[in-house]
Amino acid sequence: MNDAAPAPTPAPEPRRRARVRAPELIGKGGWLNTGGKELTLADLRGRITILDFWTFCCVNCLHVLDELRELEEKHRDTVVIVGVHSPKFVHEAEHSAVVDAVERYGVHHPVLDDPELATWKQYAVRAWPTLVVIDPEGYVVAQHAGEGHAHALAKLVEELEAEHGAKGTLRRGDGPYVAPEPVAGDLRFPGKALVLPSGNLLVSDTTRHQLVELAPDGEAVVRRIGGGERGFGPDAFSEPQGLALLPDGSVVVADTVNHALRRFDPATGSVETVAGTGRQWWQGSPTSGPALEVDLSSPWDVAWWQGRVWIAMAGVHQLWTWDPESGTVAVAAGTTNEGLHDGPAAEAWFAQPSGLAATQDRLWIADSETSALRYVEREGDGYAIRTAVGSGLFDFGHRDGDADQALLQHPLGVTALPDGSVAVCDTYNHALRRYDPATGQVTTLATDLREPSDAVLVGDDIVVVESARHRLTRLRLPEEAVRVDAVAHRTQRAATEVAPGTLRLDVVFRAPSGQKLDTRYGPSTRLLVSSTPPELLTAGDGPGTDLFRELALNPDLPGGVLHVSAMAASCDDDPENEYPACHVHQQDWGVPVTVTPGGATRLPLVLAGMDD
């Protein structure tokens, strides 16, 4: 007698629907990068339009912005990319913050500010980032969630150019993008800072792709390092962020968009690459080895701790280390799953770790997407991850008091203070907060700081990087906390009504034209499912290789959030090519659900292709 459970039903092939007319683009925040013009889909008729649903807190969205740059340049006479800014955090719904983000990240196409997610809902988007392709006649022809779709988009654009060129429905010419006026100033969206042995301050001038050395007053420019243009070479950076002083007096730089670590020697002014290849790390790539041969992914901050440089690898939700002695890198903590989960380092989950600060016995972490303050400490022969403040991906705010009830909003920086407490740059709350491990209390040290992203101690003062005010601000550490009215938020997205009992999860993936799933070395797909609260799922959680799953929902709970992480690898389908080019497509979803009779029994999530 065989008691094994029956094999799950294979996922059905998605059905092709009748052509769907693209909904109009609407957003109360209005348009950016258009010279004041309000765009409509009629204005874009005749062009291939790619909608990029993004939000500026999301590192995956920033990756997609970089993936689109080459396509945008190569097809600028036929393709119009439109960014649809769809906020997660309350701060991201502020129009001025969107204006800043468009400049900060070098967005060179029109952007619709949609603070109420109106267009997001019209297009049934479920995740950041999502790309939707509209043909020159105004019909939706493809949807892609997550990263890694640049090759597929480029091929689709060429096919649409040929098809609509032959039909006479393609209109070539200049697009609607209008560049904003450049702004002068010594710094532009600075990211991180440190104090050099000379007493001068070194700042990563992120948007201008430079390092800037300032006099001790934090204002007078001593010198600039880097040519100021985006690049990867001895005189070029690409959106540098974190800085750490090494014992030999040199500085290691997190060269974020170059996916590399660079070393700057203040004595000679020289810059060299010490880790990374300039390529972004993808699932399946090596996670340790010679530093110059291993890909990295958006290193956001660095810190010298316990004889190595620790790296906040925001792009893959992990901590890595670089050992200057051996010239090697390795993963130190995190699984690449996005979320808040403590425990042994190898099992922990992070969500865009973006700030680091070392003390003798702890490495403090600003874990931005979970709005959390966390730390690494020794445990036996290894390390463990603990959370001091924060509860998960969807809860945030500004609330002081006991750490288990306190709230932050997307912090990017953390600084160890002399008394053993920790200052947190609570970026989206525009505040400097303080956590005291001795008392377990969170207080507010200062407010009205515009997107503080880092802070350094200078004597009895703390110098804060006010990124969105393009300056360093010197504060005397206050003896008393600032009183702030508590506010709490939860990410506002419409919940999907699902029926109690069994829910069929289908991740829809159709290999791009001319490609097929890469099964040469086993399954080329991966699916990981979990929930908040964990009790929401009574069966179906955990990892697997099929892109479909039968989930059992707890009928005693009103709802929660389903966390779904999917990956698929496809290769060029050419039997004559011994070494076909392969491409990885991946995305994480957090899907709010409400359990209700009469709700859906199937949850489709589009990774690539069209929903059925």
Side-chain angles (χ1 to χ4, degrees), residues 396-557:
F396 57 91
H398 191 150
R399 186 162 64 201
D400 289 333
D402 292 339
D404 60 354
Q405 297 295 316
L407 294 172
L408 309 168
Q409 186 180 180
H410 198 79
L412 290 178
V414 59
T415 306
L417 300 179
D419 64 357
S421 65
V422 181
V424 180
C425 286
D426 193 5
T427 308
Y428 288 2
N429 279 327
H430 311 299
L432 189 67
R433 312 284 292 282
R434 177 178 178 264
Y435 167 68
D436 187 348
T439 64
Q441 294 292 299
V442 175
T443 55
T444 298
L445 297 177
T447 57
D448 193 31
L449 298 166
R450 190 69 183 170
E451 291 193 17
S453 55
D454 197 20
V456 293
L457 292 171
V458 180
D460 294 329
D461 296 337
I462 189 165
V463 175
V464 179
V465 180
E466 276 198 272
S467 189
R469 283 200 177 111
H470 320 293
R471 71 186 187 190
L472 305 187
T473 298
R474 186 182 296 261
L475 303 172
R476 180 58 56 95
L477 278 171
E479 295 182 2
E480 294 185 5
V482 177
R483 185 175 178 83
V484 177
D485 291 335
V487 291
H489 301 286
R490 171 159 283 194
T491 300
Q492 295 302 308
R493 282 184 288 159
T496 299
E497 292 189 350
V498 296
T502 300
L503 176 68
R504 167 76 179 217
L505 170 66
D506 283 317
V507 174
V508 179
F509 177 77
R510 184 180 292 118
S513 175
Q515 295 181 37
K516 64 179 181 179
L517 286 174
D518 178 20
T519 57
R520 292 171 297 167
Y521 309 107
S524 61
T525 55
R526 186 190 73 169
L527 182 65
L528 176 70
V529 181
S530 63
S531 66
T532 301
E535 299 78 22
L536 177 64
L537 288 178
T538 60
D541 58 335
T545 56
D546 292 320
L547 291 181
F548 55 91
R549 187 80 58 85
E550 300 286 341
L551 307 179
L553 300 174
N554 188 337
D556 297 328
L557 293 180

